[in-house]
Amino acid sequence: MLIKTLPVGHLETNCYIVTDETTRKCAIIDPGSDSNIILDYIESNNLSPQVIFLTHGHYDHFMALEYIMDATDAPVYIHGSDIEIANSFQSFDFGDYDDQRTYKEGDIISVGLLEFHVIETPGHSPGSVTLICESALFTGDTLFRDSCGRTDFQGGDIDSLFASLRLLSQLDGDYEVYPGHADSSTLNRERSFNQYMIKAVSDSDA
């Protein structure tokens, strides 16, 4: 598995291109902006996009979506609970896409030989998800290095976010953590040093 991180847009959202190196098929996660940068990487590496995943419905994670879908014919997945939030940004309408799909807890989506497992991790938004692929966690704006997502946007809920942080902390083993913004981390590091995750776990033990 090859993971390419492309910080895009004025908020430097991390767009991830996750490639099965055997088949050259790939997934695009959170095409937030700069479609030319995303498409240039795909074309220059002779990749075949199979799917577009949105970790949640905030605009900085999907503003290049229309261009990417037109260029690749790849379907887009979003959790159903975030469609209304996504549609509230500008005049975007997810209902206009023939190849729009929704995913939920427990879904498994294959890209080449890779499997992406969907975990619902609400809190930053009602439909936030984390995607697990092999040893990688794509956490969107739920879990950051040393931090977590804010909850003062539409649909945000601090109790749900802390429950999601507890859920992630309880996953077996260690994972590479690829968040929606800033630097990557590991789950073991966040278990040890992320004060939000530590508080979420300690509150449940009280």
Side-chain angles (χ1 to χ4, degrees), residues 23-142:
T23 63
R24 310 302 292 173
K25 294 179 179 179
C26 70
I28 303 169
I29 301 176
D30 289 346
S33 188
D34 300 328
S35 59
N36 57 320
I37 294 174
I38 298 169
L39 293 173
D40 282 349
Y41 174 80
I42 289 169
E43 292 168 6
S44 63
N45 288 278
N46 297 313
L47 305 182
S48 175
Q50 302 297 299
V51 67
I52 303 164
F53 295 129
L54 302 185
T55 59
H56 62 291
H58 289 157
Y59 78 97
D60 57 311
H61 290 254
F62 68 74
M63 290 306 291
L65 177 61
E66 183 174 2
Y67 302 100
I68 300 298
M69 289 187 75
D70 287 346
T72 64
D73 291 325
V76 58
Y77 282 83
I78 184 173
H79 192 282
S81 294
D82 265 19
I83 291 176
E84 181 179 352
I85 289 174
N87 286 343
S88 70
F89 291 103
Q90 298 182 2
S91 58
F92 206 86
D93 187 356
F94 273 85
D96 287 344
Y97 289 108
D98 292 335
D99 217 350
Q100 172 196 314
R101 305 175 186 179
T102 57
Y103 49 19
K104 63 185 184 305
E105 177 80 25
D107 285 349
I108 302 173
I109 301 164
S110 296
V111 176
L113 301 177
L114 302 176
E115 289 187 341
F116 290 82
H117 297 248
V118 180
I119 302 177
E120 294 176 354
T121 49
H124 179 65
S125 70
S128 288
V129 301
T130 291
L131 301 167
I132 300 180
C133 186
E134 296 185 351
S135 61
L137 291 178
F138 299 95
T139 57
D141 287 2
T142 297

Side-chain angles (χ1 to χ4, degrees), residues 178-198:
Y178 294 93
H181 302 272
D183 295 334
S184 61
S185 183
T186 67
L187 189 56
N188 276 347
R189 183 189 185 283
E190 299 313 302
R191 287 174 175 137
S192 298
F193 299 111
N194 187 315
Q195 294 303 309
Y196 298 95
M197 179 171 277
I198 292 169

Side-chain angles (χ1 to χ4, degrees), residues 7-28:
V8 296
H10 67 285
L11 295 179
E12 295 193 325
T13 300
N14 288 329
C15 173
Y16 296 105
I17 312 298
V18 186
T19 302
D20 168 26
E21 295 177 90
T22 300
T23 63
R24 310 302 292 173
K25 294 179 179 179
C26 70
I28 303 169

